[in-house]
Amino acid sequence: MERRGLLPFVVTAFFAVVISLFAFSLMDSKDDAPKTQTIPDGQSKSNDSDITNQVKNNIKGNKAKVNNSIDNNLNNDEDSRIDNNVTNDIEVNVDVNVSNTIKNKADKNQDSGQTGNGNENENSGTEDSSGDKGAKNDQGGKSEDDEVVWGVDSASLTTSDLLSCVQENFGSPKVWGRYLGDKEGVSAGITPQEAEFLQSNDIKLLVIWNRFNEATGIENGQSEAKAAIQLAQDLGIPEGVAIFADIEPNYPVDSSFIEGWYQAMEESPYHPGIYGIFDKEQALTKSFSQAAAKDSSLLENTFIWTAAPNAGITEQEQAPGYKPEAPANSLIAGWQYGIDAKACNIDTNLFNKDILDVLW
């Protein structure tokens, strides 16, 4: 009776051992399955690629400078999927400088999906936030080509014939630089009818003041600014538009004129801007840097339209990469990269998309 009573237990134990060995064999076979390899810097060489980048910055304080950079370089034979999400939640009191750069490059033989390349910026601060105004020159003046628009400037009244000439020979400008008031032998001033014509063709006006030949002295800078402000108001130019003082390379210039121009413009409904050749050897660049050293707000709030370097006139499709030269950390509005076109009497430009809000 005792041996018969043990038999069921022996049989049960035997089957338990067999089942355990079978289960362990299944687990071992799963461990032999291919494993996903994580390769730094978003580079993948597996057949299937699935990359997710999520960046979230929460910043509170007096100043904020945020630089986020994501570079995904895929080289695969099958399907790939990239999800990029950048969220900046910034609460500051003084200055915000946000730069998000996302680059996706996928070399493949079959289809790839690149989705979710999102930039979300929430900035709470003063009007000094650089993200609200333009592109600061904190990376050598470089910017991605998809962040700029092509445009022209001219000294002549814009007629339908001139616009057609530009469109047929060069391209379709989104910005057109024109002058406030006549300057004998140099330029014709813009008229309300001309402004309406350009705006009806989906072209924004960049407003230029050039009715002076000398850019020295603080009182002179204030006087020129006030004259430009008055004429802009007479023409019905709305508040919030930038007015650019045209300081030619042969003009005498000093930091006092730039200070005076800035002070008077800042007290007006308009924004201060300066046009000129801002290469390192020019007196204009040195004078602007001296003025900025005295007043940091001048550097932060003055729009710079630079004619350096001179790459030469081109059609819109052959425009150079956007590499304007200007003082470090200045607020770049655009780059006049080519001057004096033989056809149409225009100059060619690239402008930051951000400044469209401060054009007429």
Side-chain angles (χ1 to χ4, degrees):
M1 290 293 295
E2 289 184 22
R3 290 181 180 179
R4 289 180 181 177
L6 291 173
L7 183 59
F9 294 102
V10 172
V11 172
T12 300
F14 174 79
F15 280 108
V17 171
V18 170
I19 292 171
S20 299
L21 290 173
F22 180 74
F24 280 118
S25 68
L26 288 177
M27 292 175 63
D28 288 341
S29 67
K30 289 182 179 179
D31 289 341
D32 292 335
K35 296 182 180 179
T36 302
Q37 182 180 7
T38 301
I39 300 176
D41 299 328
Q43 297 184 6
S44 175
K45 294 185 179 179
S46 62
N47 287 338
D48 295 329
S49 302
D50 192 349
I51 295 177
T52 300
N53 298 312
Q54 294 184 348
V55 179
K56 185 171 184 179
N57 300 309
N58 295 310
I59 300 174
K60 295 182 180 181
N62 292 325
K63 294 185 178 181
K65 183 174 182 179
V66 180
N67 292 304
N68 298 314
S69 180
I70 298 174
D71 192 344
N72 297 310
N73 188 359
L74 303 182
N75 185 2
N76 58 7
D77 295 327
E78 299 295 338
D79 296 337
S80 61
R81 178 182 177 84
I82 303 172
D83 293 323
N84 298 317
N85 292 287
V86 179
T87 302
N88 297 311
D89 187 359
I90 302 170
E91 297 180 10
V92 302
N93 297 322
V94 180
D95 191 16
V96 181
N97 187 358
V98 179
S99 176
N100 296 319
T101 302
I102 298 176
K103 296 181 180 179
N104 295 321
K105 181 181 179 182
D107 296 328
K108 59 200 178 300
N109 292 334
Q110 297 187 16
D111 293 336
S112 68
Q114 298 184 26
T115 63
N117 296 325
N119 289 329
E120 182 179 345
N121 297 318
E122 297 179 5
N123 296 336
S124 299
T126 69
E127 190 178 339
D128 291 339
S129 299
S130 63
D132 294 337
K133 286 190 171 186
K136 279 200 172 185
N137 186 27
D138 58 357
Q139 296 180 354
K142 296 181 180 179
S143 177
E144 296 299 319
D145 287 345
D146 60 358
E147 295 177 354
V148 300
V149 295
W150 186 80
V152 302
D153 65 275
S154 82
S156 306
L157 286 171
T158 312
T159 63
S160 58
D161 288 342
L162 180 55
L163 177 57
S164 296
C165 179
V166 172
Q167 291 172 334
E168 292 169 5
N169 290 278
F170 297 100
S172 299
K174 288 295 182 183
V175 177
W176 200 299
R178 289 289 291 117
Y179 293 88
L180 281 174
D182 296 332
K183 186 173 183 179
E184 187 175 355
V186 177
S187 58
I190 191 170
T191 67
Q193 294 79 13
E194 180 186 4
E196 184 179 356
F197 170 70
L198 288 168
Q199 291 161 355
S200 68
N201 283 277
D202 195 28
I203 299 172
K204 290 265 194 175
L205 281 90
L206 182 144
V207 180
I208 311 164
W209 179 255
N210 70 334
R211 298 176 70 178
F212 60 96
N213 298 306
E214 183 177 320
T216 59
I218 190 167
E219 292 182 357
N220 186 27
Q222 292 172 339
S223 176
E224 292 299 332
K226 290 176 181 177
I229 292 163
Q230 184 61 58
L231 188 49
Q233 292 175 329
D234 292 343
L235 286 169
I237 296 176
E239 297 181 2
V241 170
I243 301 177
F244 290 81
D246 177 358
I247 302 179
E248 294 292 326
N250 60 332
Y251 291 3
V253 59
D254 63 18
S255 61
S256 295
F257 178 91
I258 294 170
E259 292 171 32
W261 173 267
Y262 171 74
Q263 291 168 5
M265 278 292 169
E266 278 292 278
E267 294 171 358
S268 79
Y270 303 108
H271 292 298
I274 295 178
Y275 162 84
I277 300 177
F278 279 92
D279 70 37
K280 295 179 181 179
E281 301 304 318
Q282 289 289 329
L284 172 60
T285 305
K286 296 174 183 178
S287 296
F288 181 85
S289 297
Q290 290 170 0
K294 294 180 183 178
D295 184 354
S296 61
S297 68
L298 184 149
L299 177 68
E300 296 167 357
N301 299 317
T302 301
F303 289 96
I304 298 298
W305 177 26
T306 178
N310 182 6
I313 292 286
T314 73
E315 297 177 10
Q316 181 178 359
E317 295 301 321
Q318 280 72 49
Y322 188 63
K323 296 179 181 179
E325 185 174 348
N329 298 315
S330 58
L331 195 60
I332 301 293
W335 174 29
Q336 185 190 71
Y337 69 84
I339 61 171
D340 297 334
K342 293 181 179 179
C344 313
N345 190 28
I346 51 97
D347 305 318
T348 52
N349 299 262
L350 291 171
F351 296 100
N352 285 307
K353 281 185 177 178
D354 291 339
I355 72 150
L356 293 178
D357 290 338
V358 296
L359 303 183
W360 184 18

